[in-house]
C-alpha cells in the first residue's frame, strides 16, 4: 500500500484536530463573552448540538459507501467551514444553536466518511495506521489546547473571534489536503444486502454499546481528574496540566508500539479485557490521593495517570481493530457511523456520570467506575465470539 495517501490523511487529520481542539476548549466562553448567552443557554445549546449530531453518522456513512468517501468527506468539511463562519454572526440563542448543531452534524458525518478511507488506505496495517492517526490527533489536540489557553488568557472578543476564524480555515486547509488524496470507488455490495445492515447487525451494535461505555475512560483524565485535584485533594492545580502532558506523551510515543500484535478479534478482545483490569488499578491509585499532603498526592496521581494511560493504549488498540474488522468492506462508512454514535453517546453521558461517581461519591465512586470497566472488558471477548459465529453463519453456503 502506497504510504502517500496515509501521510496525507494524517496531515489532514492533524490540521482538522488542531482547530477543533482549540474550538471545543473555548466555545463555552465564546458563547458567554461574545454571544452574551447565559450559562444555562450555553449548556442547552451545546447539549442539543451534541445529541442531534449523533444521528448524522449512519446515513452519511451509507452515502460514502455508495458514492465514494472522499467526496462526501470534502462536502462535510466545507459545511463545517461555513457553519463556523456563521458563528461569527450569531447574536442570539437560536443562531448559536443552529451554527453549532450544523457543525456537529457535519463533523459526525465527516467521521463516518473518513472511516472507509482509513480502512482501505491502511491496507493490511490498519491497526498500526489507526494508532498512528491517534498519536497525530493527540499531538494536534495538545497544540490546539495551547492555542485555546492563549485566547482565554487574552480574553477579548477579538481573540475569541480570531480563534473561530482560524478553526474555519483549518477545515478549508484539511479539504485542500484531502483533494490530493486519491479517489476511492465504491465497493460492490452483495445483492441481498439491505440498506441499513449496520443497525441490524446485533453483535456489532452490542460491541458499540460496550465499547462506548469503555470509551468513558478517555474522559477520566480530562474531566474527572481536574475536578478531583481541585475539589478533593491538596495537590497544586498545575498538576492538571502535568497529568494531561504525561498522558499525551505516552500516547504519542507508545500507541503504535502497543498496537503491534493486536490483530484479529481474539487479540483485540484480550487487549480490551486487560485494559479494563488496568483501569480499575489506575483509578484505585488516583482515589488514594485524597486526604494526603500535596506532594504525596502528586506522586500518587502521577502513578495513577501513567497506569490509566497504559489501559487507554490497550483499549484504543483493541477498539480500533474491532471497529474495522467486524465491519464488511462494502459498508465501512455505515458501520463507522454506528461506531461514532457509540463514542458520541459516551461523551454525552461521561460528564454527569463521572461527576457523580468520581467527584461527588469520592473513593467508592472511583472504584465503582473502575469495576464497570472491568465488567465491560470481561464481556467483550464473548461479544467478539458471537460476532464471529454470526459472520460464519452468514457466509455459509445455503
Amino acid at each position: 500500500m502506497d504510504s502517500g495517501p496515509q501521510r496525507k490523511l494524517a496531515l489532514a487529520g492533524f490540521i482538522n484536530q488542531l482547530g477543533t481542539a482549540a474550538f471545543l476548549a473555548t466555545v463555552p466562553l465564546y458563547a458567554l463573552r461574545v454571544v452574551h448567552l447565559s450559562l444555562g443557554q450555553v449548556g442547552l445549546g451545546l447539549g442539543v448540538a451534541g445529541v442531534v449530531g449523533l444521528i448524522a453518522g449512519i446515513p452519511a456513512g451509507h452515502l460514502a459507501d455508495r458514492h465514494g468517501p472522499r467526496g462526501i468527506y470534502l462536502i462535510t468539511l466545507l459545511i463545517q467551514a461555513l457553519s463556523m463562519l456563521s458563528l461569527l454572526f450569531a447574536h442570539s440563542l437560536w443562531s448559536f444553536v443552529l451554527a453549532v448543531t450544523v457543525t456537529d452534524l457535519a463533523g459526525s458525518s465527516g467521521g463516518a466518511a473518513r472511516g472507509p478511507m482509513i480502512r482501505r488506505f491502511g491496507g493490511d496495517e490498519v491497526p498500526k495506521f489507526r494508532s498512528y492517526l491517534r498519536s497525530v490527533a493527540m499531538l494536534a489536540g495538545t497544540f490546539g489546547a495551547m492555542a485555546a489557553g492563549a485566547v482565554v488568557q487574552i480574553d477579548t472578543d477579538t481573540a475569541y473571534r480570531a480563534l473561530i476564524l482560524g478553526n474555519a480555515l483549518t477545515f478549508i486547509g484539511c479539504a485542500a489536503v484531502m483533494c490530493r488524496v486519491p479517489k476511492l470507488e465504491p465497493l460492490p455490495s452483495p445483492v441481498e444486502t439491505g440498506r441499513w445492515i449496520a443497525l441490524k447487525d446485533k453483535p456489532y451494535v452490542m460491541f458499540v454499546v460496550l465499547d462506548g461505555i469503555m470509551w468513558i475512560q478517555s474522559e477520566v483524565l480530562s474531566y474527572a481528574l481536574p475536578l478531583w485535584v481541585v475539589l478533593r485533594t491538596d495537590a497544586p492545580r498545575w498538576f492538571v496540566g502535568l497529568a494531561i502532558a504525561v498522558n499525551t506523551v505516552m500516547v504519542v510515543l507508545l500507541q503504535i508500539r502497543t498496537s503491534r500484535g493486536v490483530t484479529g478479534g481474539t487479540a483485540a478482545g484480550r487487549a480490551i479485557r486487560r485494559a479494563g483490569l488496568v483501569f480499575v488499578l489506575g483509578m484505585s491509585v488516583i482515589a488514594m490521593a485524597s486526604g494526603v499532603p500535596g506532594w504525596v498526592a502528586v506522586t500518587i496521581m502521577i502513578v495513577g495517570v501513567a497506569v490509566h494511560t497504559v489501559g487507554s493504549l490497550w483499549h484504543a488498540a483493541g477498539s480500533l481493530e474491532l471497529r474495522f474488522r467486524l465491519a464488511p468492506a462494502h459498508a465501512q462508512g455505515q458501520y463507522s457511523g454506528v461506531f461514532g454514535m457509540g463514542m458520541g453517546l459516551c461523551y454525552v453521558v461521561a460528564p454527569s456520570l463521572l461527576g457523580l461517581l468520581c467527584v461527588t461519591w469520592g473513593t467508592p465512586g472511583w472504584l465503582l467506575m473502575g469495576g464497570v470497566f472491568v465488567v465491560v472488558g470481561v464481556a467483550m471477548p464473548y461479544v467478539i465470539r458471537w460476532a464471529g459465529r454470526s459472520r460464519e453463519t452468514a457466509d455459509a453456503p445455503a
Side-chain angles (χ1 to χ4, degrees):
M1 174 63 66
D2 182 10
S3 62
Q6 293 183 2
R7 290 196 297 269
K8 292 182 178 68
L9 269 179
L11 176 59
F14 180 90
I15 296 171
N16 195 340
Q17 182 61 25
L18 182 67
T20 298
F23 171 72
L24 292 177
T26 55
V27 62
L29 287 171
Y30 179 83
L32 289 169
R33 305 277 203 221
V34 181
V35 188
H36 302 297
L37 301 182
S38 68
L39 190 59
Q41 289 175 323
V42 174
L44 173 64
L46 295 179
V48 168
V51 172
V52 173
L54 295 177
I55 68 176
I58 299 174
H62 180 69
L63 288 174
D65 292 328
R66 299 282 65 82
H67 301 287
R70 192 191 69 167
I72 301 299
Y73 187 47
L74 286 172
I75 291 172
T76 66
L77 290 171
L78 294 178
I79 291 174
Q80 287 179 91
L82 292 173
S83 63
M84 192 57 49
L85 289 174
S86 73
L87 193 57
L88 294 173
F89 305 96
H91 299 292
S92 68
L93 171 62
W94 298 115
S95 58
F96 172 77
V97 170
L98 180 61
V100 294
T101 298
V102 172
T103 300
D104 274 19
L105 280 167
S108 177
S109 301
R114 187 169 177 256
M117 290 186 284
I118 295 173
R119 176 65 185 89
R120 292 172 66 178
F121 286 128
D124 296 329
E125 296 185 331
V126 170
K128 180 180 178 181
F129 180 42
R130 189 59 185 85
S131 297
Y132 173 66
L133 292 178
R134 183 173 187 245
S135 298
V136 169
M138 288 289 292
L139 190 61
T142 300
F143 288 131
M146 292 170 62
V151 168
V152 171
Q153 183 65 35
I154 297 171
D155 196 29
T156 64
D157 286 11
T158 301
Y160 288 117
R161 291 183 183 277
L163 188 143
I164 296 294
L165 177 60
N167 189 29
L169 292 175
T170 63
F171 292 126
I172 296 173
C174 179
V177 174
M178 289 304 302
C179 286
R180 301 172 59 192
V181 174
K183 182 180 179 180
L184 292 172
E185 296 298 328
L187 296 176
S189 59
V191 177
E192 68 278 6
T193 299
R195 174 170 293 184
W196 305 116
I197 60 171
L199 291 174
K200 298 175 183 177
D201 189 337
K202 294 179 181 178
Y204 192 85
V205 171
M206 180 56 68
F207 154 68
V208 168
V209 170
L210 293 179
D211 197 54
I213 295 171
M214 191 67 98
W215 273 110
I216 292 175
Q217 59 84 9
S218 65
E219 295 293 286
V220 168
L221 299 186
S222 62
Y223 183 84
L225 184 67
L227 294 175
W228 180 249
V229 169
V230 173
L231 300 177
R232 302 296 292 269
T233 78
D234 292 325
R237 296 190 178 192
W238 54 256
F239 175 76
V240 173
L242 176 61
I244 294 174
V246 169
N247 174 254
T248 300
V249 170
M250 289 182 66
V251 171
V252 170
L253 295 180
L254 301 176
Q255 185 64 75
I256 296 176
R257 181 179 300 179
T258 304
S259 299
R260 293 173 185 165
V262 184
T263 304
T266 301
R270 286 199 298 263
I272 294 176
R273 184 172 60 198
R274 287 197 303 270
L277 296 171
V278 172
F279 286 143
V280 74
L281 177 60
M283 295 176 74
S284 299
V285 173
I286 292 173
M288 295 169 59
S290 179
V292 299
W295 68 271
V296 177
V298 167
T299 304
I300 290 173
M301 286 190 290
I302 279 290
V303 174
V305 167
V307 172
H308 187 90
T309 302
V310 170
S312 75
L313 294 170
W314 275 332
H315 170 230
S319 169
L320 298 171
E321 165 70 0
L322 294 170
R323 168 187 176 176
F324 295 109
R325 180 167 294 276
L326 297 181
H330 68 275
Q332 287 284 332
Q334 189 180 146
Y335 275 73
S336 290
V338 174
F339 182 84
M341 182 178 289
M343 290 192 67
L345 285 172
C346 142
Y347 294 128
V348 170
V349 171
S352 298
L353 182 63
L354 293 176
L356 172 64
L357 295 183
C358 299
V359 181
T360 303
W361 289 12
T363 299
W366 282 93
L367 298 178
L368 178 58
M369 192 69 246
V372 171
F373 292 142
V374 171
V375 171
V376 171
V378 170
M380 189 65 79
Y382 294 98
V383 173
I384 295 169
R385 285 197 287 271
W386 178 25
R389 289 194 300 270
S390 69
R391 281 145 180 75
E392 290 171 2
T393 301
D395 294 338

